[in-house]
Amino acid sequence: MARKIRHIPKVVTKLYRKDFYHQPGTLPGTIFIDENAEPPTIFLIDYNQTNFIRKQIATPEECAPYLDTESVSWVDVQGLGNQDILQRLGRVFDLHPLVLEDVVNVPERPKIEDYEDQLLFIARMVVPKDKTCGFYSEQVSFILSKNYLLTVQEEPEHDCFEGVRVRIDRNKGIIRKQRTDYLAYALLDAIIDGFFPVLELYGERIEELEEEVMVNPTRQTLQNIYQVRRELLQLRRAIWPQRDAINSLIRDGSELIGEEVRIYLRDCYDHAVQVMDMVETYRELASGLMDVYLSSVSNKMNEIMKVLTVVSSIFIPLTFVAGIYGMNFNTEKSPYNMPELNWYWGYPICLAIMAAIAFALLFFFWQRGWLKNSSTIKPD
Amino acid sequence: MARKIRHIPKVVTKLYRKDFYHQPGTLPGTIFIDENAEPPTIFLIDYNQTNFIRKQIATPEECAPYLDTESVSWVDVQGLGNQDILQRLGRVFDLHPLVLEDVVNVPERPKIEDYEDQLLFIARMVVPKDKTCGFYSEQVSFILSKNYLLTVQEEPEHDCFEGVRVRIDRNKGIIRKQRTDYLAYALLDAIIDGFFPVLELYGERIEELEEEVMVNPTRQTLQNIYQVRRELLQLRRAIWPQRDAINSLIRDGSELIGEEVRIYLRDCYDHAVQVMDMVETYRELASGLMDVYLSSVSNKMNEIMKVLTVVSSIFIPLTFVAGIYGMNFNTEKSPYNMPELNWYWGYPICLAIMAAIAFALLFFFWQRGWLKNSSTIKPD
Amino acid sequence: MARKIRHIPKVVTKLYRKDFYHQPGTLPGTIFIDENAEPPTIFLIDYNQTNFIRKQIATPEECAPYLDTESVSWVDVQGLGNQDILQRLGRVFDLHPLVLEDVVNVPERPKIEDYEDQLLFIARMVVPKDKTCGFYSEQVSFILSKNYLLTVQEEPEHDCFEGVRVRIDRNKGIIRKQRTDYLAYALLDAIIDGFFPVLELYGERIEELEEEVMVNPTRQTLQNIYQVRRELLQLRRAIWPQRDAINSLIRDGSELIGEEVRIYLRDCYDHAVQVMDMVETYRELASGLMDVYLSSVSNKMNEIMKVLTVVSSIFIPLTFVAGIYGMNFNTEKSPYNMPELNWYWGYPICLAIMAAIAFALLFFFWQRGWLKNSSTIKPD
Amino acid sequence: MARKIRHIPKVVTKLYRKDFYHQPGTLPGTIFIDENAEPPTIFLIDYNQTNFIRKQIATPEECAPYLDTESVSWVDVQGLGNQDILQRLGRVFDLHPLVLEDVVNVPERPKIEDYEDQLLFIARMVVPKDKTCGFYSEQVSFILSKNYLLTVQEEPEHDCFEGVRVRIDRNKGIIRKQRTDYLAYALLDAIIDGFFPVLELYGERIEELEEEVMVNPTRQTLQNIYQVRRELLQLRRAIWPQRDAINSLIRDGSELIGEEVRIYLRDCYDHAVQVMDMVETYRELASGLMDVYLSSVSNKMNEIMKVLTVVSSIFIPLTFVAGIYGMNFNTEKSPYNMPELNWYWGYPICLAIMAAIAFALLFFFWQRGWLKNSSTIKPD
Amino acid sequence: MARKIRHIPKVVTKLYRKDFYHQPGTLPGTIFIDENAEPPTIFLIDYNQTNFIRKQIATPEECAPYLDTESVSWVDVQGLGNQDILQRLGRVFDLHPLVLEDVVNVPERPKIEDYEDQLLFIARMVVPKDKTCGFYSEQVSFILSKNYLLTVQEEPEHDCFEGVRVRIDRNKGIIRKQRTDYLAYALLDAIIDGFFPVLELYGERIEELEEEVMVNPTRQTLQNIYQVRRELLQLRRAIWPQRDAINSLIRDGSELIGEEVRIYLRDCYDHAVQVMDMVETYRELASGLMDVYLSSVSNKMNEIMKVLTVVSSIFIPLTFVAGIYGMNFNTEKSPYNMPELNWYWGYPICLAIMAAIAFALLFFFWQRGWLKNSSTIKPD
């Protein structure tokens, strides 16, 4: 039993321990490569209103020619598993050592930072896992400059940017007419909107738990509620700083963000606020469920105790009466020794008394409402 | 039992899952038509101090001639079930793509946004369902311009604007002398005041639950308390951003809001604050009820346990005494083998001892106050 | 039982349902007359340093001559039961329709509003009911102008202004030397100080409940704690906005408030803060009491269970032993069939074994501390 | 039992009821003399770098000659029991009526107020009572002027100013070189630092309660936790406004506070923040203890129930078996009537079956871990 | 049992009682030497881009020659056990008496203070103890000036500065090219990053507790949860003011902090925010665990009660039936006296009835789901 459960925390461990960890006492700007991380693959998309290039490139240096052209260059790095490539990337894009540290030493808290002609935006992307079990969470770093946008993703598997790539490719909407700031907005918007399907799953799980907790609360229910609370806490830590970062992007943003894109970012900010709103609502519901669980368990105990009490309180006195007439006092030694045993109607009277006691107690319990089952729930 | 309850969450589902959902990765400004949405019907009211026109129109384009006149034009669209009409509406009123998205892709969080010569106000209207079961909630979007007001309602059934229509029609109050800003205020005020009847119902439900939880707490009570808490959470999410939006309408509002109307909006803001106040109060009461419920259940268990303990503790020792004299030790083999059985007063003495034990225990329980029923509540 | 309790909520009903209710969809400025409201009676006090007039007047129009004189005129209207008089009052004092609505359509949330040469202050006055049962709550509206002060009270019965009237009459303190702003301060101060006796009652009730919940918690205690929490919530809603309103009176107040009176208002503000402070403290105590209640009930159950367990665990094994020797195996058929029954010392040995079992169990329970009564409370 | 506890609230009563009470409807500036208050005694300390006078004086008027000299005059009034003297004090020091009211009508909330050339600072001083029972709390009012400092203490018994008096007397530190502002700082610092010994006692009590609640939670424990929470609430209400007052003394302080003294006040402010910090920490611990208490009680109940269940579940079935063979069916009427009674191995087989049942049940309970005592706590 | 636990609080005591304690009524600037404190040892590191000196020095005066040179001098004092040396240190570095007090009279709350040409930064350093038992906490004071940095550590044992010393020694990174402000940053960063390993331990402990509380909650679990909550409270009090201090270092910092170092401090601030974030998350989890614990205990009690109820409810009625036929009514006196005893099929029928009753009850309990063990948890 205990052995089975031991597997669960392992899923959780990663969420905790890796969140926001920094090796103490190291040189600022030092980067750490997780040995399990996949090697980076680099994709380049370069476009303007008329042209469009999309290709995978082998080395960071290949980007260099595209960066200073007037066309918008989007370099998307996926995977953090090679120190050499990452450091060369830092040189090609002329990144401050602290920027490179933030980008590589994941997980970092979502934030925005302004470096002269670059803007660093650390975002957190979530992707729903499957119907039952949480979400994948991944850091995406944006380095926004006038002519290029560098995005670095933690791992290549999950990604919610495909819609944007298609829009660039097929020239849908205004994206090809806009600059890097709009591209950054479009990706950020995809990340924020990516929280909604995850939240939808939690909405469904909470509904299931509501039913479970009312109808048949078990230990499993308790564990599930706790699990949901913990994962919502996780989500809240992901969206809260992101919302603040978008807000300061709108208000204090550098010249890199155009006036028109600010309107779009306002929309994106609204969505982030809505995500926050839902996360908080779900957290309150989940926390309310814990109370309901405890009450439900107490309620069930009441039911159990009622059965025990009714049965015991009726039969224990009856058994006592039967016990009396099972005593072996010698009726022959004295007329006072259990004369009832020799009465003509002794046994029927005895049974009648027992029945009377039983009915009296039943009436007493019925009057208190202990005989009806109070645990049924009427459909609303 | 379980099957019956399965219907309940379905009512709730809609409230949750649809709240603030955005399709990830789509083009900004994309609008989604819910297949169950009813097709839009468009009503036009055009008035000034002397004239009044009210008619249903078939196509958005029919509004066009009214929009630039000096008279106040109120175009009221009800229902979001036709993409073509909605997009034509966007063109007629020259709406920013993001505005149209906010208006059509309901539900959106209440907010205010300023677009040059238009003001977008997203409001949430609630209508009480019936005595037992919550409220209908619907988004109403206002697009306010100098000469016209466009309102878009989610569905045509529920509406709390009839009073305003009548005031325009019959020229009651100052509405015909005022401009679009006053009209927007009047409608907004009707929406905010529409929260009061809903809250009144919750006040009544909480009173009923208070009585229930004190007198006879069942599982149903628990579920009802939880349900009320959840719906109040819903209400709070509707009114909170609305209040903030009205506040920024008063303070940072564009030139579209006249000085005089600001005074009226201040009144409307006061009402919104009062709604907030009541929602918070009800939430605190409902949350307090949960505590009371748990205590009440524990209390009831105490009562049950007392009965069990009193009955068991009295009769189990007596049964033991009876059991002793039911033993079959052979009195003939030894004078020490149950000589009591052959005593002359054996049986009466035995009964007397039993009675003494019973009375001693009863006295013990009476002294502890376990014999009186502590569950009665004196009328206050 | 249930029928008796049904009376309680009725007392409460009014507090809830009427608090801050606005009829949706009505003309702003519309006033509603509660059919149970008492007709207004109007009192006029007009004074300066040398003269003093105090009289009851029949119609609002009679005030008119006093309003423009240099002397201070205090018109005090008590009762809201006549629409005609109230509207004539509005005309005499030249009230904005929204002001009249706020004044008449009680209850309104305490607030301050600045209308050119008038200042509207909505206050809430509380008067202790009696030792056991809450407080009366009534709205008092102040309309302050340069030469007059109009106060409108919800009902004529309760009033905490008599002290001020006496001070004007007998020329005590500096009130006759001051203007309307000082008069308004004096009345407001009386209202705020009127919260203290109410709070004193709650202090006493909480003390009683503390004792009750420790010594003998019953369902009644639970209900009382909940009732106190609910009423303190009520008080908080009354004092909180009042404090804010006084604060903005001091800071942003119009020219109608003199510099010297501001110092007095600061004192009044301090008192409001102290009331808040006490309300919050009492709320925390009452909420802590709920926890104590639940723990106390659990504690009592522990006591009950201990008795049940000790009694059952001792006598059930003994009864089993007695049951064994009450079996009817035929001792004549076999030497192995209950030979004990025929032993010479059979019965005494049996009794000795039983005593040994009982003492062993008693020792076990004594060792665990279950025999001593842990529910007594030492005096502190 | 109940009678003993009745004494406890009396200790508490004073803390509550007198805190922040204002007689409604009285003239502002009216002072109330508590009949139990001790008559004021007045001490004068007058010093500069070279001279030092310390004497008790009989009437307030005797101070007058010292007030206008260049030397620093500290007038310390202890006790509030004589209206005449207090009003003469007000005249000698030229106090605003509201200042005198704040000083005399204790308790007042800690605050700072600026009156032209005087600064009023209301502080609250706490002195630990003894090891078991809370603290004395007393108001100290400072009236700071250029050349004198008037302090008014509520009662003469407790005082934490002796250290400062000694420093002046013996010319320790820089106090004799400084003006009244430094003196006020020194006294205020003594008051703030006076909170630390009180908090130390609470730290110890919480530790004791932690042990008690884990090892042997009784009703007394519950009461003690509640008591600590209540007293910490008291402390918080004393220190919170004090901290704010010191802060505004530093920031908005009048010219009466020199630049150098502001640095010292910053230190004093730090200490006040630390007191707050500890009070909040202790409050969280005490509130956590309540949860632990409830869990501990439930835990104990589990232990009790386990014993009951194990004993009952083993012996009740055995007793049933014994009961069967205690039945008196006539074995002679039929071969099917309890033939076991006449078997040769009847009794031994019966005992063996009983033993088998008992062991099976014991195994069942052992498997579930109900036989080991889970209530022991390993030393950490 | 109780004696064993008595050792635990002793570990805790120090954390509480010494935190933020100030001797009331003492001269400001007085320093207290804890008799257990170790005597101070002084280390000097002096470096510029080319030179590097590292030595232990005996007296504070030996530092003097280094302080005014252009090279960066880092004087690191470890241990607070000698009043004379500390006061000489104060003279050598020209420390304000309040600075010396803050540095020596540990513990002080983390803060920053600006003294003309010195900057005082009080930090709190934590070092993980071992896998099971909390952390060491130590105050580190920074006195930053243009050419030197003085750091004072509470005790010499634990230290997280070795990495920085190595970087200076081996000339790694840019530290040798920078001034004292960068050195202060590097040390501060080491302190902040030192929180992460401590938090990692708590993450692991919470995971263990989660498993324990679900699978087998004991009293020990409860104590451990409480212990974790208390220690996290401790951590929070350490990191919260530290974060604020770093923030004001960045924003309002004096000229002593260069522009470039501010960027690094921003990074350090981010880490402090992340530590806060994790502490808060862990606190929420630990507080949620308390709820889970209580529910788990209730759940276990339900299981226990079910067993008791099922066993008792089945066997008590059966025993009653057996008791009836154990009665000794004289069958010869009357045909109505227990004729069943003499029936041919009496005994088998009796057994059959008993079996029927038992099966009926089992069916009843099975239907309610009381026979299956609801306490197993499926692996997720």
Side-chain angles (χ1 to χ4, degrees), chain A residues 251 266, chain B residues 111-116 118-121 144 241-259 262 265-266 269:
Chain A
R251 283 180 211 281
R266 219 165 54 176
Chain B
K111 64 174 175 180
I112 180 166
E113 273 181 17
D114 201 344
Y115 288 86
E116 289 173 53
Q118 286 182 330
L119 209 61
L120 168 70
F121 194 102
L144 174 69
Q242 206 138 300
R243 191 200 55 168
D244 291 348
I246 297 174
N247 195 22
S248 60
L249 199 61
I250 297 172
R251 282 178 213 280
D252 336 316
S254 74
E255 307 161 349
L256 290 167
I257 308 292
E259 204 51 50
R262 260 171 238 267
L265 278 172
R266 218 165 53 175
Y269 174 74

Side-chain angles (χ1 to χ4, degrees), chain C residues 318-349:
Chain C
L318 297 187
T319 304
F320 165 64
V321 173
I324 283 186
Y325 295 107
M327 293 193 297
N328 297 321
F329 283 97
N330 195 339
T331 55
E332 289 163 11
K333 292 275 172 175
S334 141
Y336 302 117
N337 273 1
M338 310 187 78
E340 307 91 325
L341 296 181
N342 294 315
W343 290 355
Y344 189 84
W345 293 104
Y347 180 58
I349 287 173

Side-chain angles (χ1 to χ4, degrees), chain D residues 163-200:
Chain D
V164 178
R165 287 192 200 99
V166 167
R167 272 154 62 193
I168 301 174
D169 190 354
R170 305 197 187 152
N171 200 353
K172 283 171 69 179
I174 58 171
I175 195 162
R176 290 273 283 270
K177 301 188 195 81
Q178 299 277 333
R179 306 286 317 152
T180 52
D181 52 354
Y182 187 87
L183 176 62
Y185 149 72
L187 296 174
L188 206 54
D189 195 49
I191 286 175
I192 296 293
D193 284 353
F195 279 83
F196 286 100
V198 174
L199 284 171
E200 198 175 12

Side-chain angles (χ1 to χ4, degrees), chain C residues 142 160-161 164 167 182-196 246 264-265 267-269 271-272, chain D residues 22-29 98 101:
Chain C
F142 293 77
C160 54
F161 292 163
V164 178
R167 272 154 62 194
Y182 187 87
L183 176 61
Y185 149 72
L187 296 173
L188 206 53
D189 196 49
I191 286 174
I192 296 292
D193 285 353
F195 279 83
F196 285 100
I246 297 174
Y264 283 99
L265 279 172
D267 188 66
C268 182
Y269 174 73
H271 293 190
Chain D
H22 296 272
Q23 199 67 31
T26 53
L27 208 60
L98 288 175
E101 187 191 332

